[in-house]
Amino acid sequence: MVERRGVLVTLGEEDGIRSPLLKVWDLEKVDKKLGMGTPVLLRSVKVQTGNRPHPVSLCCVVLSNHSLTATGLVDGIIR
């Protein structure tokens, strides 16, 4: 993969979904369907934590070429 600028990686929880979601956004493009400056969602992935849900912590690391991502969960699990 090539290093890119203008990419935002978010990690969070959404209603009705047991696993945390990792989302990658392109801040240089606007979603024409949603409008109002909403960036394009490139990818949304569930962070698999086994059989039980885990609260998300504020720890997420992405390599500059986007080839590897590590997320830290509240209970100490790293994915």
Side-chain angles (χ1 to χ4, degrees), residues 1 3 11 13 16 19 35 40 47 75 77:
M1 296 182 82
E3 184 175 341
L11 177 64
E13 298 170 336
S19 298
V40 172
V47 178
D75 65 356
I77 290 177

Side-chain angles (χ1 to χ4, degrees), residues 1-78:
M1 296 182 82
V2 178
E3 184 175 341
R4 279 182 57 183
R5 295 177 186 236
V7 173
L8 173 67
V9 177
T10 61
L11 177 64
E13 298 170 336
E14 290 188 11
D15 293 335
I17 300 175
R18 289 180 51 110
S19 298
L21 291 176
L22 180 87
K23 293 184 178 185
V24 181
W25 306 86
D26 186 341
L27 298 178
E28 296 178 351
K29 296 181 182 174
V30 175
D31 190 323
K32 294 177 182 175
K33 293 179 184 176
L34 298 176
M36 297 177 52
T38 304
V40 172
L41 178 61
L42 299 175
R43 182 158 312 236
S44 180
V45 181
K46 287 183 183 178
V47 178
Q48 299 296 328
T49 58
N51 293 335
R52 58 191 170 132
H54 296 276
V56 175
S57 72
L58 297 177
C59 181
C60 181
V61 177
V62 181
L63 292 182
S64 62
N65 66 0
H66 307 149
S67 64
L68 181 65
T69 302
T71 57
L73 303 175
V74 170
D75 65 356
I77 290 177
I78 297 174

